[in-house]
Amino acid sequence: MDVDAFVLAHRATWDRLEHLVKRRRRLTGDEVDELVDLYQRVSTHLSMVRSASADPVIVGRLSGLVARARSAVTGAHAPLWSEFTRFWTVSFPLVAYQTWRWWLSTAVVFFAVAGLIGVWVAGNPEVQSAIGTPTDIARLVNEDFASYYSENPAGSFALRVWINNSWVAAQCIAFAIVLGIPIPYVLFQNAANLGVTGGLMFNADKGDLFLGLLTPHGLLELTAVFLAAAAGMRLGWSVVAPGDRPRGQVLAERGRAMIPVAVGLAVVLLVSGLIEALVTPSPFPTFVRIAIGVAAEVAFLAYVIHFGRRAVRAGETGDVADAPDVVPTG
Protein backbone atom coordinates (compact mmCIF):
# COMPACT_ATOMS: atom_id res chain seq x y z
CA MET A 1 0.00 0.00 0.00
CA ASP A 2 1.20 3.52 -0.87
CA VAL A 3 0.49 5.14 2.50
CA ASP A 4 0.86 8.70 1.27
CA ALA A 5 -1.58 8.10 -1.60
CA PHE A 6 -4.00 6.35 0.76
CA VAL A 7 -3.93 9.28 3.18
CA LEU A 8 -4.41 11.78 0.35
CA ALA A 9 -7.38 9.82 -1.02
CA HIS A 10 -9.21 9.49 2.31
CA ARG A 11 -8.16 12.52 4.35
CA ALA A 12 -11.32 14.42 3.45
CA THR A 13 -13.43 11.53 4.77
CA TRP A 14 -11.49 11.47 8.03
CA ASP A 15 -11.74 15.23 8.44
CA ARG A 16 -15.48 15.13 7.78
CA LEU A 17 -15.96 12.38 10.38
CA GLU A 18 -13.93 14.35 12.90
CA HIS A 19 -16.07 17.42 12.21
CA LEU A 20 -19.28 15.47 12.77
CA VAL A 21 -17.95 13.93 15.96
CA LYS A 22 -17.19 17.38 17.34
CA ARG A 23 -20.77 18.51 16.50
CA ARG A 24 -22.41 15.29 17.69
CA ARG A 25 -24.80 17.15 20.01
CA ARG A 26 -26.18 19.31 17.19
CA LEU A 27 -26.51 16.91 14.25
CA THR A 28 -29.51 16.71 11.95
CA GLY A 29 -31.06 13.38 11.04
CA ASP A 30 -29.15 13.22 7.76
CA GLU A 31 -25.91 14.05 9.54
CA VAL A 32 -26.49 11.26 12.04
CA ASP A 33 -26.83 8.80 9.16
CA GLU A 34 -23.70 10.27 7.60
CA LEU A 35 -21.83 9.95 10.89
CA VAL A 36 -22.63 6.23 11.15
CA ASP A 37 -21.73 5.65 7.50
CA LEU A 38 -18.41 7.47 7.84
CA TYR A 39 -17.67 5.65 11.08
CA GLN A 40 -18.02 2.30 9.34
CA ARG A 41 -15.92 3.43 6.38
CA VAL A 42 -13.12 4.80 8.55
CA SER A 43 -13.18 1.60 10.63
CA THR A 44 -12.45 -0.24 7.40
CA HIS A 45 -9.66 2.23 6.60
CA LEU A 46 -8.17 1.55 10.03
CA SER A 47 -8.18 -2.19 9.41
CA MET A 48 -6.49 -1.68 6.04
CA VAL A 49 -3.81 0.59 7.48
CA ARG A 50 -3.14 -1.81 10.36
CA SER A 51 -2.57 -4.69 7.99
CA ALA A 52 -0.41 -2.82 5.49
CA SER A 53 1.42 -0.09 7.39
CA ALA A 54 3.53 0.23 10.51
CA ASP A 55 3.15 4.02 10.63
CA PRO A 56 2.20 4.65 14.27
CA VAL A 57 1.05 8.22 13.55
CA ILE A 58 -1.63 7.22 11.03
CA VAL A 59 -2.69 4.19 13.05
CA GLY A 60 -2.89 6.29 16.19
CA ARG A 61 -4.95 9.03 14.53
CA LEU A 62 -7.42 6.60 12.98
CA SER A 63 -7.70 4.51 16.16
CA GLY A 64 -8.55 7.62 18.17
CA LEU A 65 -10.98 8.86 15.54
CA VAL A 66 -12.80 5.52 15.33
CA ALA A 67 -12.98 5.33 19.13
CA ARG A 68 -14.46 8.84 19.39
CA ALA A 69 -16.90 8.12 16.57
CA ARG A 70 -18.05 4.95 18.27
CA SER A 71 -18.63 6.90 21.44
CA ALA A 72 -20.53 9.57 19.51
CA VAL A 73 -22.88 7.04 17.98
CA THR A 74 -24.50 6.57 21.37
CA GLY A 75 -26.38 3.34 21.67
CA ALA A 76 -25.54 2.41 18.11
CA HIS A 77 -25.39 -1.29 18.64
CA ALA A 78 -26.66 -4.01 16.42
CA PRO A 79 -29.65 -5.98 17.72
CA LEU A 80 -28.76 -8.71 20.18
CA TRP A 81 -29.49 -11.44 17.65
CA SER A 82 -27.17 -9.76 15.14
CA GLU A 83 -24.32 -9.54 17.65
CA PHE A 84 -24.92 -13.17 18.58
CA THR A 85 -24.79 -14.19 14.92
CA ARG A 86 -21.66 -12.15 14.28
CA PHE A 87 -19.91 -13.74 17.23
CA TRP A 88 -20.48 -17.29 15.97
CA THR A 89 -19.95 -16.55 12.28
CA VAL A 90 -17.05 -14.07 12.50
CA SER A 91 -15.37 -13.37 15.84
CA PHE A 92 -14.80 -16.85 17.27
CA PRO A 93 -14.20 -18.88 14.07
CA LEU A 94 -11.90 -16.18 12.68
CA VAL A 95 -9.56 -16.25 15.69
CA ALA A 96 -9.63 -20.06 15.70
CA TYR A 97 -8.83 -20.13 11.99
CA GLN A 98 -6.02 -17.59 12.29
CA THR A 99 -4.30 -19.69 14.97
CA TRP A 100 -4.64 -23.05 13.21
CA ARG A 101 -0.88 -23.50 12.77
CA TRP A 102 -0.37 -22.91 16.47
CA TRP A 103 -2.98 -25.38 17.68
CA LEU A 104 -2.05 -28.01 15.08
CA SER A 105 1.56 -27.79 16.23
CA THR A 106 0.40 -27.97 19.83
CA ALA A 107 -1.62 -31.10 19.09
CA VAL A 108 1.28 -32.82 17.32
CA VAL A 109 3.69 -32.15 20.18
CA PHE A 110 1.08 -33.10 22.82
CA PHE A 111 0.33 -36.49 21.27
CA ALA A 112 4.02 -37.15 20.61
CA VAL A 113 4.82 -36.57 24.29
CA ALA A 114 1.82 -38.62 25.45
CA GLY A 115 2.76 -41.45 23.08
CA LEU A 116 6.39 -41.53 24.18
CA ILE A 117 5.41 -41.58 27.85
CA GLY A 118 2.82 -44.28 27.17
CA VAL A 119 5.37 -46.52 25.44
CA TRP A 120 7.87 -45.87 28.23
CA VAL A 121 5.36 -46.82 30.94
CA ALA A 122 4.03 -49.87 29.10
CA GLY A 123 7.50 -51.31 28.50
CA ASN A 124 9.07 -50.75 31.91
CA PRO A 125 7.90 -52.71 34.97
CA GLU A 126 10.15 -50.52 37.12
CA VAL A 127 8.27 -47.42 36.04
CA GLN A 128 4.95 -49.12 36.69
CA SER A 129 6.02 -50.11 40.20
CA ALA A 130 6.99 -46.50 40.86
CA ILE A 131 3.52 -45.35 39.74
CA GLY A 132 1.63 -47.66 42.09
CA THR A 133 1.36 -51.10 43.59
CA PRO A 134 0.17 -54.00 41.40
CA THR A 135 -3.12 -53.88 43.29
CA ASP A 136 -3.59 -50.16 42.63
CA ILE A 137 -2.78 -50.56 38.94
CA ALA A 138 -5.10 -53.55 38.59
CA ARG A 139 -7.91 -51.57 40.20
CA LEU A 140 -7.28 -48.67 37.80
CA VAL A 141 -7.29 -50.71 34.59
CA ASN A 142 -10.04 -53.14 35.60
CA GLU A 143 -12.44 -50.91 37.51
CA ASP A 144 -11.66 -47.27 38.12
CA PHE A 145 -11.03 -46.12 34.53
CA ALA A 146 -14.37 -47.38 33.22
CA SER A 147 -16.41 -46.59 36.33
CA TYR A 148 -15.21 -42.98 36.31
CA TYR A 149 -17.60 -42.25 33.45
CA SER A 150 -20.69 -43.85 34.97
CA GLU A 151 -20.44 -43.69 38.76
CA ASN A 152 -22.17 -40.28 39.00
CA PRO A 153 -25.46 -38.98 37.59
CA ALA A 154 -25.04 -37.69 34.04
CA GLY A 155 -26.06 -34.12 34.87
CA SER A 156 -23.67 -33.60 37.76
CA PHE A 157 -20.89 -35.44 35.94
CA ALA A 158 -21.30 -33.24 32.84
CA LEU A 159 -21.13 -30.12 35.01
CA ARG A 160 -18.01 -31.34 36.79
CA VAL A 161 -16.30 -32.24 33.53
CA TRP A 162 -17.20 -28.88 32.01
CA ILE A 163 -15.83 -26.97 34.98
CA ASN A 164 -12.60 -28.99 35.00
CA ASN A 165 -11.98 -28.63 31.28
CA SER A 166 -12.91 -24.96 31.31
CA TRP A 167 -10.42 -24.45 34.11
CA VAL A 168 -7.61 -25.99 32.04
CA ALA A 169 -8.56 -23.81 29.05
CA ALA A 170 -8.88 -20.74 31.29
CA GLN A 171 -5.38 -21.36 32.66
CA CYS A 172 -3.97 -21.43 29.14
CA ILE A 173 -5.72 -18.17 28.30
CA ALA A 174 -4.80 -16.47 31.57
CA PHE A 175 -1.14 -17.45 31.24
CA ALA A 176 -0.99 -15.32 28.10
CA ILE A 177 -0.49 -12.42 30.54
CA VAL A 178 2.98 -13.79 31.32
CA LEU A 179 3.81 -14.36 27.63
CA GLY A 180 2.36 -17.88 27.67
CA ILE A 181 5.48 -19.27 29.33
CA PRO A 182 3.64 -21.66 31.77
CA ILE A 183 1.35 -23.04 29.03
CA PRO A 184 3.74 -25.78 27.80
CA TYR A 185 4.03 -27.03 31.39
CA VAL A 186 0.23 -27.21 31.76
CA LEU A 187 0.04 -29.15 28.49
CA PHE A 188 2.89 -31.43 29.56
CA GLN A 189 1.07 -32.32 32.77
CA ASN A 190 -2.03 -33.33 30.82
CA ALA A 191 0.01 -35.21 28.20
CA ALA A 192 1.88 -37.05 30.95
CA ASN A 193 -1.37 -38.08 32.67
CA LEU A 194 -2.77 -39.30 29.36
CA GLY A 195 0.43 -41.18 28.54
CA VAL A 196 0.70 -42.86 31.94
CA THR A 197 -2.92 -44.00 31.92
CA GLY A 198 -2.69 -45.15 28.31
CA GLY A 199 0.54 -47.03 28.97
CA LEU A 200 -0.98 -48.89 31.91
CA MET A 201 -4.16 -49.70 29.98
CA PHE A 202 -2.33 -50.99 26.88
CA ASN A 203 0.07 -52.99 29.03
CA ALA A 204 -2.96 -54.74 30.56
CA ASP A 205 -4.46 -55.41 27.10
CA LYS A 206 -7.15 -52.80 27.78
CA GLY A 207 -6.17 -50.49 24.92
CA ASP A 208 -9.51 -50.97 23.15
CA LEU A 209 -11.36 -49.97 26.31
CA PHE A 210 -9.06 -46.96 26.78
CA LEU A 211 -9.60 -45.65 23.25
CA GLY A 212 -13.27 -46.58 23.21
CA LEU A 213 -13.98 -44.50 26.30
CA LEU A 214 -11.60 -41.62 25.58
CA THR A 215 -12.20 -40.96 21.89
CA PRO A 216 -15.91 -39.96 21.89
CA HIS A 217 -15.39 -36.87 24.01
CA GLY A 218 -11.60 -36.56 23.94
CA LEU A 219 -11.29 -35.38 20.34
CA LEU A 220 -13.39 -32.25 20.83
CA GLU A 221 -12.21 -31.70 24.39
CA LEU A 222 -8.51 -31.78 23.51
CA THR A 223 -9.06 -29.65 20.42
CA ALA A 224 -10.58 -26.97 22.65
CA VAL A 225 -7.63 -27.16 25.03
CA PHE A 226 -5.18 -26.98 22.11
CA LEU A 227 -6.95 -23.90 20.77
CA ALA A 228 -6.87 -22.17 24.16
CA ALA A 229 -3.17 -22.97 24.55
CA ALA A 230 -2.40 -21.86 21.00
CA ALA A 231 -4.19 -18.54 21.45
CA GLY A 232 -2.35 -17.89 24.70
CA MET A 233 1.08 -18.76 23.29
CA ARG A 234 0.41 -16.77 20.12
CA LEU A 235 -0.42 -13.73 22.24
CA GLY A 236 2.78 -14.17 24.20
CA TRP A 237 4.82 -14.59 21.02
CA SER A 238 3.43 -11.31 19.66
CA VAL A 239 5.50 -9.55 22.33
CA VAL A 240 8.65 -11.33 21.20
CA ALA A 241 8.05 -11.06 17.44
CA PRO A 242 5.37 -8.49 16.55
CA GLY A 243 6.35 -8.41 12.88
CA ASP A 244 6.36 -5.11 10.99
CA ARG A 245 3.75 -3.47 13.20
CA PRO A 246 4.14 -1.75 16.60
CA ARG A 247 4.39 -4.30 19.41
CA GLY A 248 1.71 -2.58 21.49
CA GLN A 249 -0.75 -2.58 18.60
CA VAL A 250 -0.33 -6.29 17.88
CA LEU A 251 -0.52 -7.16 21.58
CA ALA A 252 -3.72 -5.13 22.01
CA GLU A 253 -5.40 -6.69 18.98
CA ARG A 254 -4.57 -10.25 19.93
CA GLY A 255 -5.39 -9.57 23.57
CA ARG A 256 -8.88 -8.42 22.64
CA ALA A 257 -9.21 -11.47 20.38
CA MET A 258 -8.86 -13.67 23.47
CA ILE A 259 -12.37 -12.62 24.53
CA PRO A 260 -14.19 -14.57 21.79
CA VAL A 261 -11.81 -17.50 22.33
CA ALA A 262 -12.73 -17.72 26.00
CA VAL A 263 -16.48 -17.45 25.37
CA GLY A 264 -16.51 -19.76 22.38
CA LEU A 265 -14.47 -22.47 24.06
CA ALA A 266 -16.77 -22.45 27.08
CA VAL A 267 -19.56 -23.59 24.75
CA VAL A 268 -17.35 -26.10 22.90
CA LEU A 269 -16.26 -27.62 26.20
CA LEU A 270 -19.87 -27.78 27.32
CA VAL A 271 -20.64 -29.88 24.25
CA SER A 272 -17.67 -32.18 24.92
CA GLY A 273 -18.78 -32.47 28.55
CA LEU A 274 -22.26 -33.54 27.48
CA ILE A 275 -20.77 -36.14 25.15
CA GLU A 276 -18.58 -37.42 27.98
CA ALA A 277 -21.54 -37.68 30.35
CA LEU A 278 -24.16 -39.01 27.94
CA VAL A 279 -22.34 -40.82 25.12
CA THR A 280 -19.10 -42.17 26.59
CA PRO A 281 -20.76 -44.34 29.30
CA SER A 282 -23.80 -45.22 27.15
CA PRO A 283 -24.60 -48.82 26.13
CA PHE A 284 -24.07 -47.95 22.46
CA PRO A 285 -21.54 -50.12 20.61
CA THR A 286 -18.03 -48.73 20.71
CA PHE A 287 -18.00 -47.86 17.01
CA VAL A 288 -21.19 -45.81 17.44
CA ARG A 289 -19.79 -43.86 20.37
CA ILE A 290 -16.55 -43.20 18.50
CA ALA A 291 -18.51 -42.18 15.39
CA ILE A 292 -20.40 -39.59 17.46
CA GLY A 293 -17.13 -38.16 18.77
CA VAL A 294 -15.58 -38.07 15.31
CA ALA A 295 -18.70 -36.39 13.89
CA ALA A 296 -18.55 -33.70 16.59
CA GLU A 297 -14.87 -33.08 15.86
CA VAL A 298 -15.35 -32.94 12.10
CA ALA A 299 -18.32 -30.59 12.50
CA PHE A 300 -16.26 -28.23 14.67
CA LEU A 301 -13.30 -28.21 12.27
CA ALA A 302 -15.60 -27.67 9.28
CA TYR A 303 -17.30 -24.81 11.12
CA VAL A 304 -13.97 -23.10 11.91
CA ILE A 305 -12.61 -23.53 8.39
CA HIS A 306 -15.79 -22.39 6.63
CA PHE A 307 -16.61 -19.32 8.69
CA GLY A 308 -12.99 -18.47 9.53
CA ARG A 309 -11.89 -18.51 5.90
CA ARG A 310 -14.94 -16.48 4.88
CA ALA A 311 -14.17 -13.86 7.53
CA VAL A 312 -10.55 -13.60 6.37
CA ARG A 313 -11.67 -13.08 2.78
CA ALA A 314 -14.06 -10.38 3.98
CA GLY A 315 -11.17 -8.50 5.58
CA GLU A 316 -12.27 -9.06 9.17
CA THR A 317 -9.58 -8.65 11.83
CA GLY A 318 -11.00 -10.62 14.74
CA ASP A 319 -10.55 -7.52 16.91
CA VAL A 320 -13.69 -6.84 18.93
CA ALA A 321 -12.83 -3.15 18.79
CA ASP A 322 -13.48 -3.23 15.05
CA ALA A 323 -16.95 -4.76 15.24
CA PRO A 324 -19.36 -2.46 13.40
CA ASP A 325 -22.32 -0.73 14.98
CA VAL A 326 -25.19 -0.47 12.57
CA VAL A 327 -28.14 1.33 14.13
CA PRO A 328 -27.90 5.14 13.78
CA THR A 329 -28.89 7.26 16.75
CA GLY A 330 -28.26 10.81 17.75
Side-chain angles (χ1 to χ4, degrees):
M1 174 190 290
D2 186 329
V3 178
D4 292 334
F6 187 83
V7 172
L8 185 62
H10 298 291
R11 177 177 293 163
T13 300
W14 304 343
D15 291 343
R16 175 60 177 168
L17 177 59
E18 191 162 22
H19 174 71
L20 292 175
V21 168
K22 290 179 179 179
R23 295 185 59 252
R24 60 185 178 274
R25 303 289 184 184
R26 303 182 300 277
L27 299 179
T28 65
D30 289 341
E31 288 175 329
V32 169
D33 292 340
E34 183 184 7
L35 170 63
V36 176
D37 176 64
L38 292 178
Y39 161 60
Q40 294 175 334
R41 288 163 57 186
V42 176
S43 295
T44 302
H45 296 166
L46 174 59
S47 298
M48 295 171 63
V49 171
R50 280 175 170 172
S51 62
S53 171
D55 190 326
V57 176
I58 298 176
V59 172
R61 183 196 174 185
L62 290 183
S63 297
L65 179 57
V66 168
R68 293 196 303 275
R70 181 184 293 112
S71 176
V73 185
T74 306
H77 295 289
L80 181 60
W81 65 265
S82 179
E83 294 184 355
F84 179 84
T85 301
R86 176 180 170 79
F87 177 85
W88 290 110
T89 59
V90 176
S91 303
F92 176 57
L94 175 59
V95 176
Y97 182 76
Q98 289 175 328
T99 59
W100 74 268
R101 290 182 179 85
W102 284 84
W103 50 290
L104 179 59
S105 301
T106 300
V108 170
V109 174
F110 179 93
F111 285 120
V113 171
L116 289 173
I117 292 176
V119 171
W120 180 53
V121 170
N124 290 274
E126 298 84 0
V127 175
Q128 297 170 23
S129 62
I131 293 173
T133 65
T135 301
D136 292 335
I137 293 176
R139 184 184 305 113
L140 170 66
V141 300
N142 295 319
E143 301 175 14
D144 293 350
F145 185 79
S147 65
Y148 168 77
Y149 297 100
S150 57
E151 62 185 3
N152 293 303
S156 62
F157 181 64
L159 178 61
R160 188 175 68 182
V161 168
W162 178 61
I163 292 175
N164 178 72
N165 294 336
S166 297
W167 170 242
V168 175
Q171 282 182 296
C172 292
I173 293 174
F175 283 143
I177 299 175
V178 287
L179 307 186
I181 294 173
I183 293 177
Y185 177 68
V186 173
L187 293 174
F188 175 78
Q189 285 183 310
N190 285 271
N193 290 335
L194 181 65
V196 168
T197 303
L200 294 175
M201 293 293 288
F202 273 91
N203 184 66
D205 294 326
K206 298 282 187 178
D208 55 342
L209 177 64
F210 174 76
L211 296 177
L213 290 175
L214 190 65
T215 303
H217 64 275
L219 290 174
L220 189 60
E221 175 184 304
L222 288 175
T223 298
V225 172
F226 297 153
L227 176 53
M233 289 188 290
R234 181 172 179 256
L235 176 61
W237 184 250
S238 67
V239 177
V240 179
D244 58 357
R245 294 190 294 159
R247 181 174 283 103
Q249 176 190 332
V250 177
L251 184 61
E253 288 180 6
R254 293 183 179 175
R256 289 190 293 267
M258 297 296 285
I259 299 174
V261 170
V263 176
L265 289 185
V267 176
V268 174
L269 288 170
L270 176 61
V271 173
S272 72
L274 291 174
I275 294 175
E276 186 170 358
L278 302 176
V279 176
T280 298
S282 72
F284 295 148
T286 300
F287 78 91
V288 173
R289 290 185 280 110
I290 291 178
I292 293 174
V294 171
E297 174 73 0
V298 170
F300 177 69
L301 295 178
Y303 155 75
V304 168
I305 293 172
H306 173 72
F307 287 105
R309 182 180 295 169
R310 189 176 71 173
V312 168
R313 290 174 177 171
E316 297 285 352
T317 65
D319 189 345
V320 295
D322 293 337
D325 297 322
V326 298
V327 181
T329 62

